[in-house]
Amino acid sequence: MTDPVDILVIAAHPDDAEFGAAGTVAKWIREGRQAAYLICTSGEKGTTDPTLTPEMLSGIREEEQRAAARTLSVQSVTFLREPDQGLEDTPGFRKLIVRMIRTFRPAIVMTSDPYRRYIWHRDHRIIGQVVLDAVFPFARDRLAYPDLLAEDLMPHKVRELYFWGTEDINFRSDITQTFDLKIAALRCHASQVREFNRGDPVEWLRQRCREMAAGESFGLAEAFHRVEAPP
């Protein structure tokens, strides 16, 4: 049996969690909570380098994600190895996410916002929706998947969801003290950092975090849409 964790971060690709939530994850880990990563694809299509095959890139990106998780002291990283650019909201995939939620039994689940409009990676949209449905009602309801009960995967009630990449912000997390850790973790994704086309990624991200902290008493933030799950 896998030990329960306080926080389960469910991302479509390696590096999504670092861009979206690593400062908050690092802060909560410093406070004594345990976190695990669930990465749905290996990001095997995320390159412009013509010398890389999907098989080569998936190995690189998985190792980069493991290094980033170690930097943050994340307890474990699980790769589902679903197809990059191919996530779909299917009964089978939903059940797989329910299985993972019942395995890790987190109080908090973090993922990408499924309701961001227009330009948004389709995998981000799909995983956000699948996670939302998996948390409520499927992971909670005893008879949603009776066969999982035979595997001792009992119903589990997640308490909170945090969606990054949201346009509907209702929670800002102070990451002033963990921004450097966020950057250190992001630098582990070297294959992706060099693909960044918006100038210096550190300065771009610092400015983004300043903007997300606007109106708060702290200087740097990650922003989320936070939902309390029904009992």
Side-chain angles (χ1 to χ4, degrees):
M1 273 303 273
T2 300
D3 290 335
V5 296
D6 302 296
I7 306 140
L8 181 61
V9 180
I10 306 178
H13 315 104
D15 84 14
D16 290 351
E18 278 65 54
F19 273 108
T24 302
V25 170
K27 179 174 71 171
W28 285 342
I29 290 172
R30 282 185 174 180
E31 293 171 357
R33 304 189 205 186
Q34 282 105 26
Y37 274 4
L38 179 64
I39 312 298
C40 296
T41 82
S42 298
E44 68 273 9
K45 294 182 180 175
T47 186
T48 59
D49 186 340
T51 69
L52 289 175
T53 65
E55 295 75 20
M56 293 164 63
L57 187 58
S58 65
I60 291 167
R61 296 204 67 188
E62 286 189 11
E63 188 48 47
E64 289 173 345
Q65 182 62 88
R66 292 187 186 97
R70 288 193 296 270
T71 298
L72 299 168
S73 298
V74 169
Q75 185 168 299
S76 66
V77 182
T78 302
F79 293 96
L80 297 182
R81 300 191 174 98
E82 295 291 315
D84 188 9
Q85 300 182 7
L87 294 184
E88 296 293 346
D89 186 351
T90 65
F93 186 44
R94 189 182 315 120
K95 183 177 181 179
L96 178 56
I97 298 300
V98 169
R99 175 185 292 277
M100 294 295 102
I101 291 170
R102 290 190 182 186
T103 297
F104 286 99
R105 309 186 72 76
I108 292 170
V109 168
M110 310 181 83
T111 192
S112 50
D113 192 320
Y115 301 122
R116 181 167 174 159
R117 294 175 297 172
Y118 307 119
I119 302 301
W120 193 221
H121 197 302
R122 188 171 185 276
D123 285 349
H124 297 171
R125 189 175 294 116
I126 294 296
I127 191 55
Q129 187 64 63
V130 172
V131 168
L132 185 57
D133 292 338
V135 165
F136 179 82
F138 292 94
R140 182 201 67 170
D141 286 0
R142 180 175 182 82
L143 296 180
Y145 299 107
D147 55 313
L148 294 184
L149 303 179
E151 299 178 43
D152 204 29
L153 292 172
M154 295 295 112
H156 176 70
K157 296 179 181 179
V158 173
R159 294 205 302 263
E160 299 174 274
L161 295 108
Y162 290 77
F163 296 97
W164 66 73
T166 185
E167 296 171 323
D168 185 15
I169 297 167
N170 66 3
F171 183 87
R172 291 173 173 83
S173 172
D174 179 4
I175 63 162
T176 308
Q177 300 304 315
T178 55
F179 179 78
D180 288 346
L181 258 181
K182 177 182 176 77
I183 294 302
L186 189 61
R187 288 190 189 281
C188 293
H189 296 281
S191 70
Q192 298 307 292
V193 170
R194 65 172 169 260
E195 298 268 353
F196 196 78
N197 59 4
R198 300 181 187 176
D200 181 350
V202 175
E203 285 312 306
W204 177 85
L205 200 52
R206 191 187 305 276
Q207 182 57 35
R208 287 273 298 155
C209 291
R210 285 194 189 112
E211 291 169 1
M212 287 189 280
E216 301 289 346
S217 60
F218 41 85
L220 297 170
E222 288 173 340
F224 304 92
H225 186 80
R226 174 183 173 272
V227 176
E228 291 187 11

